[in-house]
Amino acid sequence: MMRVLVLGADGFVGRRTLAAIERAGMTAIAGSRRARTAGGKARVIVNATDRGSLAQAMIGIDAIVNCIAGAPATIVANAVALFAEAGDRRVVHLSSMAVYGDATGRITETAPLDERADGYAGAKRDAEAAARGNVVILRPGCVYGGGSPQWSARIAALLAARRIGDLGAGGDGCSNLVHVDDVARAIVAALSPRVKAGSIYNLAMPDAPDWNGYFLDYARALGTVPIARIPAWRLKVETKLLAIPLKLLEKAGGRFPPAIPPSLARLWRQDLRLDSSRASADLQLAWTPLAAGMAEAAATSRPRKAA
Amino acid sequence: MIVEAADFADGATLAADICIVGAGAVGITLALELGRSGLDVLLLEAGGTRAEAEVQDFYRGTVTRPALHNPIHEYRERRLGGSTTIWGGRCMPFDPIDFEWRDWIADSGWPIPYSALNTYYARANRICEAGAFAYRLDDAFDRAAQPMIDGFAGEAFSSDTLERFSCPTDFGRRYRDRLAALHNVRLMTGCAVTDIGLLASGAAVDRLTLRTRAGATLSVKARHVVLAAGGLETTRLMLASDGVMANGIGNDHDVLGRYYMCHLAGTIGDFRPRAGSAGVWHGYDIADDGTYCRRRLAIRPSAQRIHQIGNFVARLHHPHIPDARHGSGVLSALYLGRVLIPRAYRKRVEASDPFGLRGTARHVANVGLHAPEVARFARQMLLQRRLAERKFPSVVVRPRNHSFSLDFHAEQEPNRDSQVRLGAERDAYGMRRLEVDWRYTDRDVATVRTALDLLAADLRRSGAGTLGFDPDQVEAEMIRYGAYAGHHIGTARMGTDVRRSVVDPDCRVHGISNLHLAGAAVFPTSSQANPTLTAVALALRLGERLAATMRDVAAPAAIAEPERIVAMAAS
């Protein structure tokens, strides 16, 4: 039976990927920094930025799924170490649509990557550049679903606080949503040797709504309607005045309301539409309908009502 | 993208697949729609991004009877966004009966059925930011709602339909970035079309002549031209373009500029609900999508047929503001503070028959007695109107004396003698200014009077309350402020008979292969509804049809790069 090591197995995508791999009849081994029981699943402690540690973890492994997230430096160091040690094993590497930078219009996998980006987007680009060998790269859009910290839980909290809603021109960008189960299915499909080494796939549901549409539909699923119209000046206050203190508080620990950094507000406006028709064809994906995906997400990330 | 008129040298010619004249609700909608087609679109706007007196001056004209119609440089705006920079935002679809031929109304009937527009209304609502296309209480709300009037069951009237409001969205501000991002759409402000030049045969538009604010004269050569400059300006442009056709374009049969309709509106009557004002809900409900919705009393099609009248709606309104006997602190505060109210709304607050010093004293007393209520109202106006992007649409006050008035909005029938035409005066570009001779008919008065009678009967029969009004005052109230401002309808009506209409069912000017009209000018009838939503829906239909037509015809060589598409096959 094929043995697949999942790096970043405790993350949001990693957890769903473990389950999907098991469902597909393969053995999933959770690679994680921490020792923790994972519901009886096989587990290995690994430092994913360290070649020696990775080499050790890969003994007896046929393929690797790389769901490592973290600081930019971690992302790059992990990719460099992983691709140096993977040999001819199939690596399914999770990149991001962030590599396209501020491009607009319909974007296929051959679109140029943003050469100037730094931070997260730059790290994702550099990680892709380190990829070699028997690799398949996936570039998901915004991954939502139950437990999604960014595109479900955070959005739910912001909707409940009426800090977002109908953003007008500020929410005209395409959401490029992709349900986490679709990402997990794409990962499993990409493990197949029938998928050519070096392939790259965008992952986003076809006909993804714009952000305004998503916020309204998700608020309906959560029961936080009616939504509020957020004036442009309020978003400016969020991104220019509130974002930094909220981010600092979040880093200091404790439960604080989520920040809306300028990059997030920019994304909500960005008219970039990921073309995922290649993934639909090659990986034979049936995309989760938005209503079903939101219902699943709402069931877990419904904000607790104030007592 | 946005291009500057000033960048073009005098005498330059611009080419485009489609040139849209006017960047208001309709022109912007059309440009966004065509932006998806990949066609090369040029969107022209005479004004800039702000209100400027010298630009607005081009809209001046004369009005035959000033008491009946506003000066025509008011309630329409020559700038990006057009009149959506000042509109109230009420978004209402037409009713199916409005499209039918009604044998009791001469020249009624559209050459297209309601179903031809129904498919576009949902998107039109979205573009206007008026939420879902749901205009019945049950469709728009899951939760149970208080009835509009306790115990009301109307034979002639329904009370479960809604009106929905746009933010009100300024189309220029809202969609400027979207237009700028479209690679195949060029928006050019500060350039006014002064002439539509036809081929010598008169069968097609050859070129448009433009004047820029910098003083240059430019030409536009486009495969198709759409005029979307509003009901008055579109008419003026066609009448004034008399180089090939002496009567103006599309005016072979003296129809252009005639059948000019607005709406008939006013405030009348004394409605006393049986259960007092607590048994009435005349405020706003907020839909899931955040839009403000309000119940209204709408006359049923069957009643229109039986009584041979036009369409009609009424809203429950607060009592006459200048009359302090209403006892409302809020209304008295509005009266006392009327100088602070925007001019467009102020006339409704000002007394035509002054109540004198004693009246003023009573207003002051009302404010003093109900100070907390006035403070709450002021807070709401500040937070939900002034500072909000989606604005609380109007003043809603629960009258203390349990007396409501009716705010009605009625159809005006098509009337050949109600007309806009060219006058003798000319604007700074030498174009003749308009002269407006708006008229209403006895049937228009009958529509309002009969509808009020029917409503009074419905209320009485169902025991929901009483409605008193003076039938002899109906006409006076109907024209107290003249024709409803800002609705310019019917001047280039749609039809199949070239002798009785200006455009065909595709909004193409009869006999001219590449000239199309968009906007309320083409409406053959005026309905009870405000025209913007239907004008936007028609623009979506026109855009779809134009794009389809042009796909079928081979495009000329030089067309701007379409929206960025990176071919997958290249890998």
Side-chain angles (χ1 to χ4, degrees):
Chain A
M1 199 193 280
M2 185 151 142
R3 291 170 58 81
V4 183
L5 172 65
V6 178
L7 299 175
D10 290 337
F12 162 57
V13 177
R15 286 195 306 269
R16 300 280 186 124
T17 301
L18 286 177
I21 290 170
E22 296 277 344
R23 270 201 306 276
M26 297 178 266
T27 304
I29 294 102
S32 169
R33 275 173 299 175
R34 295 173 293 260
R36 211 171 72 182
T37 50
K41 289 199 181 68
R43 221 175 152 78
V44 55
I45 296 174
V46 57
N47 175 356
T49 59
D50 181 78
R51 284 180 63 169
S53 175
L54 278 167
Q56 187 72 28
M58 280 190 247
I59 294 168
I61 291 292
D62 303 304
I64 300 109
V65 175
N66 189 24
C67 303
I68 287 293
T74 310
I75 290 170
V76 178
N78 154 253
V80 170
L82 171 63
F83 290 111
E85 291 297 330
D88 60 359
R89 296 180 183 92
R90 165 59 50 96
V91 177
V92 178
H93 173 71
L94 239 72
S95 185
S96 160
M97 74 173 206
V99 296
Y100 297 118
D102 56 7
T104 58
R106 212 170 179 83
I107 297 293
T108 66
E109 291 84 350
T110 53
L113 305 193
D114 184 354
E115 290 307 320
R116 293 161 308 162
D118 50 11
Y120 176 75
K124 281 295 191 185
R125 177 201 58 219
D126 293 345
E128 281 198 21
R132 67 199 74 247
N134 189 5
V135 63
V136 175
I137 292 175
L138 303 179
R139 292 176 184 156
C142 296
V143 185
Y144 78 107
S148 159
Q150 298 215 56
W151 305 116
S152 295
R154 172 173 61 177
I155 299 300
L158 291 171
L159 283 169
R162 292 172 78 82
R163 289 169 59 199
I164 61 170
D166 173 4
L167 304 185
D172 272 347
C174 174
S175 64
N176 293 303
L177 288 172
V178 54
H179 192 268
V180 62
D181 287 339
D182 297 345
V183 175
R185 274 194 288 271
I187 289 170
V188 170
L191 287 167
S192 160
R194 284 194 304 274
V195 176
K196 269 197 320 205
S199 301
I200 302 176
Y201 295 102
N202 289 339
L203 298 179
M205 64 181 297
D207 304 317
D210 60 24
W211 287 105
N212 284 332
Y214 176 51
F215 295 157
L216 172 57
D217 286 352
Y218 195 34
R220 280 206 178 102
L222 291 163
T224 54
V225 282
I227 57 166
R229 171 72 170 216
I230 309 298
W233 64 263
R234 281 248 320 259
L235 263 188
K236 271 212 181 89
V237 169
E238 288 277 2
T239 56
K240 298 217 149 98
L241 292 177
L242 296 177
I244 291 173
L246 282 174
K247 201 84 202 168
L248 289 175
L249 283 170
E250 190 186 304
K251 284 201 171 138
R255 293 176 60 88
F256 291 98
I260 303 178
S263 57
L264 188 57
R266 261 201 310 279
L267 179 74
W268 290 338
R269 295 183 79 101
Q270 188 179 357
D271 183 28
L272 179 159
R273 192 166 278 275
L274 275 190
D275 184 329
S276 57
S277 46
R278 185 191 277 183
S280 302
D282 289 9
L283 307 180
Q284 297 184 344
L285 292 176
W287 305 92
T288 304
L290 185 62
M294 284 188 311
E296 182 268 337
T300 45
S301 56
R302 195 184 299 274
R304 269 159 293 192
K305 284 242 161 69
Chain B
M1 66 190 100
I2 293 178
V3 293
E4 299 297 329
D7 292 348
F8 293 90
D10 191 37
T13 299
L14 290 82
D17 285 331
I18 298 180
C19 178
I20 303 166
V21 180
V26 168
I28 286 174
T29 297
L30 197 54
L32 290 173
E33 173 70 13
L34 290 167
R36 310 192 306 176
S37 70
L39 291 162
D40 177 19
V41 178
L42 179 62
L43 174 59
L44 302 177
E45 171 52 47
T49 51
R50 295 175 291 123
E52 290 161 279
E54 68 268 34
V55 175
Q56 190 65 15
D57 181 75
F58 284 90
Y59 274 179
R60 271 179 204 285
T62 50
V63 173
T64 315
R65 273 160 297 173
L68 287 187
H69 197 288
N70 283 282
I72 59 171
H73 62 282
E74 292 179 4
Y75 296 97
R76 59 184 189 131
E77 291 286 303
R78 190 164 163 116
R79 56 168 152 150
L80 182 64
S83 301
T84 63
T85 53
I86 55 164
W87 72 320
R90 188 178 277 115
C91 287
M92 295 307 304
F94 274 38
D95 300 317
I97 191 175
D98 297 323
F99 294 81
E100 294 171 15
W101 177 64
R102 291 166 283 172
D103 59 12
W104 63 97
I105 294 180
D107 295 302
S108 64
W110 289 46
I112 57 173
Y114 173 75
S115 57
L117 272 189
N118 191 28
T119 45
Y120 299 96
Y121 268 134
R123 261 165 67 216
N125 267 56
R126 227 191 129 141
I127 290 170
C128 291
E129 300 195 299
F133 184 67
Y135 282 91
R136 281 171 42 89
L137 188 61
D138 294 349
D139 297 336
F141 294 93
D142 295 334
R143 54 184 187 270
Q146 182 185 350
M148 183 182 184
I149 301 168
D150 265 357
F152 180 75
E155 280 175 16
F157 275 82
S158 64
S159 61
D160 65 341
T161 63
L162 302 173
E163 49 186 32
R164 305 185 75 109
F165 285 80
S166 170
C167 283
T169 298
D170 170 347
F171 275 56
R173 280 185 50 201
R174 175 67 179 81
Y175 296 116
R176 190 175 189 276
D177 289 352
R178 285 256 291 268
L179 292 169
L182 288 168
H183 301 283
N184 61 318
V185 173
R186 284 170 291 165
L187 165 64
M188 190 158 92
T189 57
C191 55
V193 176
T194 54
D195 184 64
I196 304 163
L198 298 185
L199 295 174
S201 68
V205 175
D206 175 39
R207 63 174 62 227
L208 302 176
T209 303
L210 270 55
R211 298 284 296 270
T212 72
R213 298 188 67 186
T217 302
L218 310 177
S219 293
V220 169
K221 287 266 223 187
R223 292 165 65 201
H224 287 273
V225 172
V226 182
L227 303 184
L232 297 181
E233 210 57 17
T234 293
T235 308
R236 178 180 175 218
L237 199 48
M238 290 170 73
L239 287 171
S241 299
D242 53 3
V244 171
M245 294 177 161
N247 297 330
I249 293 171
N251 199 25
D252 295 351
H253 301 280
D254 191 19
V255 179
L256 182 64
R258 294 186 174 274
Y259 301 98
Y260 173 49
M261 295 168 280
C262 303
H263 280 107
L264 297 160
T267 306
I268 197 169
D270 177 17
F271 165 56
R272 291 181 181 266
R274 187 190 52 189
S277 66
V280 164
W281 175 242
H282 70 314
Y284 290 93
D285 298 302
I286 299 176
D288 285 356
D289 47 43
T291 46
Y292 288 104
C293 302
R294 195 181 188 197
R295 243 73 67 74
R296 55 197 208 136
L297 297 157
I299 193 159
R300 297 181 196 275
S302 53
Q304 293 177 53
R305 286 197 184 93
I306 294 166
H307 300 279
Q308 307 216 319
I309 57 173
N311 213 335
F312 176 96
V313 292
R315 304 172 276 268
L316 290 182
H317 203 57
H318 48 70
H320 194 46
I321 290 176
D323 184 350
R325 284 172 297 182
H326 48 58
S328 160
V330 168
L331 297 182
S332 286
L334 285 172
Y335 179 75
L336 296 171
R338 61 193 179 279
V339 292
L340 303 173
I341 296 174
R343 206 162 56 91
Y345 300 103
R346 200 186 309 156
K347 63 185 180 188
R348 291 204 159 216
V349 180
E350 270 160 359
S352 49
D353 36 353
F355 290 84
L357 254 182
R358 276 182 56 191
T360 305
R362 195 151 174 188
H363 281 298
V364 171
N366 284 344
V367 173
L369 279 172
H370 307 294
E373 183 198 355
V374 175
R376 270 198 307 278
F377 174 80
R379 184 169 178 275
Q380 182 193 37
M381 285 290 125
L382 177 69
L383 296 180
Q384 290 174 36
R385 195 170 165 97
R386 183 57 66 87
L387 294 177
E389 223 167 70
R390 187 171 283 288
K391 297 184 186 302
F392 194 85
S394 68
V395 174
V396 174
V397 173
R398 205 168 271 280
R400 291 188 175 270
N401 60 351
H402 306 290
S403 159
F404 295 83
S405 62
L406 287 174
D407 201 21
F408 63 84
H409 197 252
E411 175 171 16
Q412 183 187 1
E413 71 171 348
N415 171 14
R416 209 184 133 75
D417 295 333
S418 180
Q419 187 183 14
V420 298
R421 54 186 170 248
L422 293 179
E425 289 178 40
R426 291 175 187 270
D427 69 18
Y429 290 149
M431 254 181 99
R432 285 167 70 188
R433 295 183 185 273
L434 280 183
E435 189 176 285
V436 169
D437 182 4
W438 175 81
R439 299 183 191 196
Y440 63 96
T441 65
D442 290 343
R443 184 185 309 280
D444 294 334
V445 182
T447 289
V448 177
R449 192 181 288 146
T450 309
L452 289 170
D453 272 336
L454 292 168
L455 181 55
D458 268 356
L459 287 163
R460 194 170 50 241
R461 194 169 32 242
S462 56
T466 57
L467 169 64
F469 70 98
D470 180 354
D472 296 333
Q473 277 302 305
V474 166
E475 185 169 354
E477 285 302 332
M478 209 174 92
I479 57 164
R480 182 193 277 263
Y481 309 115
Y484 194 84
H487 297 177
H488 309 129
I489 305 168
T491 46
R493 60 205 327 259
M494 181 196 289
T496 47
D497 182 349
V498 298
R499 292 161 307 169
R500 306 171 74 84
S501 56
V502 176
V503 299
D504 68 14
D506 287 334
C507 295
R508 190 179 63 91
V509 177
H510 291 307
I512 301 180
S513 62
N514 62 347
L515 181 61
H516 313 262
L517 307 188
V522 306
F523 297 2
T525 57
S526 59
S527 175
Q528 45 70 29
N530 300 44
T532 303
L533 185 72
T534 298
V536 167
L538 256 182
L540 290 171
R541 177 175 176 269
L542 175 61
E544 203 173 279
R545 281 165 181 246
L546 271 177
T549 312
M550 298 188 70
R551 257 199 309 275
D552 297 342
V553 183
I559 288 185
E561 188 77 10
E563 197 180 352
R564 174 173 160 187
I565 297 175
V566 185
M568 274 175 51
S571 63

